Every structure is written in structure tokens, then in C-alpha cells.
Amino acid sequence: MQRFTLQTIESAPEKSRPALKALEERFGFLPNVMATMANNPVLLNGFVNSFGSFHGGSFDEIEKQVLLLTNAVTIKCPWTVAAHSTFAIEDGIAESEVKAIRDGGLPKDPKYAALSALTKALIENKGNVTDADIDRFTSAGYSKLQILEVVTGVGVSTMAATTTNMAGTPIEERFQPQAWSPPSAMAA
């Protein structure tokens, strides 16, 4: 059930409009999660600022999508899983790697697996990771400081996933081929 209006640039509150215009330019369309967030400029503008900071960091596009897709699956968010599966494939991640993450596993690529594992551990353990979790991440070639970038990515993705889960945000036609349901919902 959709609980909030999907705003357009024209219908959104005035303080949401500049962010919506920038997002539409970046994506070439206005994703429903942002159209939902636009109901409250505090949420939308906080998301956009964090989103920009994360996307301006040191991770390449594939690493960003590995992190964001892992977060989406761990939080069990159908909208963000569909969106990030689509973006991951468009960015060149092998469909087998996307499937592994969607199924709750890790990518075969050791570096992506370390990033995905740390992301999942941060979420599942509410930030209480172990030295072994950190060592696996840094042993894969990442710096210790990049852990803080993972935290930023988790935060950005959690804002989107929490919004769409709570709001019942519909999945756009563009993302429908990558529609996903959490394992517990599939078994029911």
C-alpha cells in the first residue's frame, strides 16, 4: 500500500524542488524513492547531500553498487534491490555476482566479497564489527579509512530502503525486470 504521494518537481514542496531537479538531471528520470522523499524537504535534502558525498568518494561504480545492493538485500527492501540490481548490471557487474548478493551470498570476486561482507556485518551487527571483519576488508586491498565510506553508503542506502519500505513506494517499470521479494515473503 502506497502511503505517500509521489511528488513531481511541480507538486513538491518548494524546498524539495531544487534537489528533485538535480536528481532528475543525474538519473534522466525521477526515481520513485526521491519522489516519495520529496514530501519532506528535510529528508530529501539530507539524502541528496549524503548521496552526493558518497558518490564522490573513493569507491568505483561497481563497488558502490555492490555495497548498495548488499545493503538493500540485508534490509530486505524490494525497491532498492530492484533499483540497485538494475544499476549494478548497467555498470557492468556480472549477473551471477548480482544474483549471489540478491540470494544473500557474497560475490565471487574477493575484493567485492570483502566489501559486501563488511557492509552486511555493519548492518546486521548495528555497527559492532569485529577486528576480523576489519582485517578481511583491509586484506582485500581497502584502506581502514574506507570503512567510514562504507558507513556513509550504508547510511544513504538505509535512508532509501527505510523510506520505500515504510511508504510502500512502487517499483518503476524500468526496475521491474529486477523485482525481488525477501526470502521470508517468498516462502510464505
Side-chain angles (χ1 to χ4, degrees), residues 2 25 27 38 58 63 78 99 106 128-129 141 163 178 184:
Q2 186 177 334
E25 284 179 24
F27 289 103
S58 67
E63 290 167 322
K99 182 179 181 339
L106 297 174
N128 296 299
V129 295
T163 297
Q178 294 299 324
S184 60

Side-chain angles (χ1 to χ4, degrees), residues 69-76 81 96-107 113 116-117 120-121 124 180-183 186:
L69 181 57
T70 299
N71 189 83
V73 169
T74 306
I75 292 179
K76 298 181 176 141
V81 170
S96 60
E97 298 283 62
V98 171
K99 182 179 181 339
I101 297 169
R102 286 170 57 106
D103 291 345
L106 297 174
S116 185
K120 191 172 184 177
E124 290 178 341
W180 175 89
S181 295
M186 288 189 281

